[in-house]
Amino acid sequence: MINVTLIPVHKDNYCYLLEAEDGSVGLVDPGEAGPVIATLKEKKLQPDVIFVTHHHWDHIDGIPGLLGRHSCPVAGPFSETTRILQMDILLDEDSAFEFGDEAVRVLETPGHTRGAICLYFPESGLLFTGDTLFSLGCGRLFEGTPEQMWNSLQKIIALPDETLIYCGHEYTQANAEFCLRVEPDNQALQKRSEAVKALRAKGQPTLPVPLKTEKETNVFLRAGSAERFAELRALKDRS
Ligand SMILES: [Zn+2]
């Protein structure tokens, strides 16, 4: 199994530190070098690989600083070589990549950006979604159509219910308010919203979250069609 540590970076981003049983160390979306280097130092770890989900600065800006201290390959979306300059390993859905002793599956999830990917670790049941899926939300459609994003979300919906979702941002509390406007009578959503409030009041993260919970509470996953998804995304953009 892979052990995951959350490293808060910037205002509300998370970088994730992965430790496999064989001692392999990975990072997902190091948006800022300082806090990540501090965590590595404290744990006396060296990264073996840096994964990136998409090209936005708040997910990749820590890479040069990390590579200045630690030599390791950077693995990210195959189509983003001009926008993520440090990549050594190009990932697509056919990639056979391993981390520790585990296979890593890549989901191509365009919508938020053209080249966005999610990283799935089937054995440990972990999914790193970047800005494609948030708890109770999804990424804005900067470079894709609602149809593309809806198709991308279908790939996530198809994963096992117990999959733990690790998102790129701590947006859950604000997202809960929007979901409650759309589905005020959803009891699972009401319960999750209260739990989220309590966690945030204590300064604790609301992630990871099981996919099952998201399927019961996230109105974007529950849209049922690309058309309804498009309506909800437009409504959220205006709110
Ligand atoms: Zn982004």
Side-chain angles (χ1 to χ4, degrees):
M1 295 297 279
I2 293 170
N3 187 54
V4 183
T5 304
L6 282 67
I7 309 174
V9 297
H10 299 300
K11 192 168 131 254
D12 49 31
N13 282 77
Y14 288 123
C15 168
Y16 295 106
L17 169 67
L18 318 185
E19 295 171 73
E21 274 173 19
D22 73 348
S24 298
V25 174
L27 294 165
V28 180
D29 285 356
E32 196 183 354
V36 180
I37 289 170
T39 305
L40 289 168
K41 214 169 168 182
E42 189 188 305
K43 290 176 158 276
K44 298 187 172 57
L45 296 175
Q46 301 272 348
D48 297 298
V49 61
I50 295 172
F51 294 104
V52 283
T53 60
H54 67 296
H55 75 87
H56 284 158
W57 68 273
D58 56 323
H59 296 254
I60 66 172
D61 265 15
I63 295 174
L66 281 159
L67 293 180
R69 284 179 170 252
H70 307 280
S71 172
C72 72
V74 177
F78 73 100
S79 60
E80 296 287 11
T81 49
T82 57
R83 300 198 285 187
I84 308 170
L85 301 177
Q86 303 90 349
M87 287 196 292
D88 307 286
I89 300 164
L90 303 181
L91 300 173
D92 64 23
E93 284 189 346
D94 298 322
S95 298
F97 191 79
E98 288 199 347
F99 173 73
D101 294 331
E102 289 197 30
V104 182
R105 255 186 63 200
V106 176
L107 309 183
E108 291 172 26
T109 52
H112 176 66
T113 65
R114 277 195 301 280
I117 58 170
C118 295
L119 298 157
Y120 178 44
F121 296 74
E123 219 168 296
S124 291
L126 314 176
L127 181 73
F128 297 88
T129 59
D131 291 355
T132 295
L133 180 71
F134 299 122
S135 182
L136 301 177
C138 73
R140 277 178 186 264
L141 305 180
F142 288 120
E143 300 174 12
T145 63
E147 290 73 23
Q148 272 178 324
M149 188 60 136
W150 178 245
N151 287 336
S152 295
L153 294 177
Q154 298 314 300
K155 296 181 185 182
I156 296 175
I157 289 174
L159 299 178
D161 274 353
E162 61 275 17
T163 306
L164 290 177
I165 310 289
Y166 292 84
C167 317
H169 288 266
E170 179 59 68
Y171 287 160
T172 318
Q173 194 166 1
N175 286 345
E177 289 171 27
F178 177 78
C179 285
L180 280 168
R181 274 174 51 201
V182 178
E183 290 193 35
D185 300 326
N186 179 332
Q187 289 185 359
L189 174 57
Q190 291 164 358
K191 202 174 132 208
R192 169 76 171 143
S193 175
E194 289 309 311
V196 164
K197 262 188 218 159
L199 284 168
R200 295 312 290 156
K202 288 185 279 183
Q204 288 176 5
T206 62
L207 305 168
V209 58
L211 179 57
K212 183 173 190 288
T213 304
E214 285 304 300
K215 285 186 191 172
E216 290 168 352
T217 57
N218 185 328
V219 297
F220 294 99
L221 291 186
R222 296 165 61 74
S225 70
E227 291 70 30
R228 177 65 178 149
F229 172 79
E231 278 173 21
L232 288 171
R233 189 59 263 180
L235 188 63
K236 179 99 195 292
D237 289 345
R238 289 196 302 269
S239 68

